[in-house]
Amino acid sequence: MTQITLPHDARAGPTKPEVRAITIQKLQLQPDDHFVDVGTCTGAISIEAAPYVARITAIERKPERVTAAQKNIAANDQTDTVTVEETEAPDGLPKDADALFLGGSRNFESVLDHAVETNVDRLVMNVSRVEPAGDAIEAFRERELLSAVRQVQINNGYELAGATSFNANNPVYIIIGRSD
């Protein structure tokens, strides 16, 4: 993974670098892929994925997040690969996606239905809250998409009284799906 920069705030935290690394690995991105990032927020997942794919469509419904994502994508020299569209999924989702990432739980069932209808063969959804994670797992299962679920928690060390302690971050559930 290359070091990316996210100088523009989207009023929501980007996916942590370690979680992005796992997410990108689980998507098994290929050089000729059309990758779709639903709920792009800061554009972090799109920026991480850009070196591995032919093109990316990033979907975001909030105008201020679209602006932040566009600025972050430009700051990382990925404007040739990534197109950001202001729309609410499932509207605006392309019909030719090879891999798809869901960064939030809004309208996720409609996005999963679209993925099934258009034969997206690799999906990953990251969720940070327990109840939506359970709902998402069940939705993946109902659509015969569920391949695996991972729970990861990244904690950052800091100095405390001459020793190392850790700030705990919330765990993230990584839901991995395949349509075949």
Side-chain angles (χ1 to χ4, degrees), residues 20-51:
R20 290 195 307 260
I22 295 167
T23 298
I24 297 300
Q25 190 273 332
K26 292 301 180 187
L27 283 163
Q28 300 177 0
L29 299 174
Q30 304 297 313
D32 60 342
D33 277 351
H34 180 188
F35 173 60
V36 178
D37 178 3
V38 180
T40 196
C41 192
T42 61
I45 291 287
S46 288
I47 295 164
E48 279 303 348

Side-chain angles (χ1 to χ4, degrees), residues 15-23 48 152 154-156 169 174:
T15 303
K16 302 287 184 264
E18 298 86 355
V19 175
R20 290 195 307 260
I22 295 167
T23 298
E48 279 303 348
V152 297
I154 307 302
N155 299 310
N156 297 306
N169 290 310
I174 300 175

Side-chain angles (χ1 to χ4, degrees), residues 102-174:
L102 285 144
S105 56
R106 185 178 176 91
N107 297 336
F108 75 89
E109 289 182 331
S110 297
V111 174
L112 292 179
D113 289 340
H114 174 85
V116 169
E117 291 166 11
T118 60
N119 296 314
V120 174
D121 66 14
R122 286 161 279 135
L123 302 105
V124 171
M125 180 177 180
N126 290 353
V127 184
S128 60
R129 296 173 296 142
V130 174
E131 291 82 3
D135 293 343
I137 292 165
E138 186 58 30
F140 271 68
R141 187 175 284 124
E142 288 171 355
R143 290 160 181 81
E144 298 181 357
L145 294 171
L146 187 64
S147 175
V149 180
R150 303 286 186 264
Q151 181 199 48
V152 297
Q153 183 170 355
I154 307 302
N155 299 310
N156 297 306
Y158 68 96
E159 186 176 331
L160 177 65
T164 303
S165 191
F166 286 88
N167 282 324
N169 290 310
N170 287 327
V172 176
Y173 301 90
I174 300 175

Side-chain angles (χ1 to χ4, degrees), residues 56-73:
I56 298 172
T57 302
I59 305 290
E60 179 54 59
R61 69 183 178 90
K62 293 185 177 180
E64 66 275 8
R65 290 182 179 177
V66 168
T67 300
Q70 289 170 328
K71 288 178 179 179
N72 286 329
I73 289 161

Side-chain angles (χ1 to χ4, degrees), residues 68-104:
Q70 289 170 328
K71 288 178 179 179
N72 286 329
I73 289 161
N76 288 274
D77 297 321
Q78 296 299 338
T79 56
D80 289 344
T81 305
V82 184
T83 302
V84 182
E85 296 183 12
E86 183 180 334
T87 188
E88 184 160 353
D91 298 335
L93 288 175
K95 295 184 186 320
D96 65 341
D98 300 295
L100 185 142
F101 171 72
L102 285 144

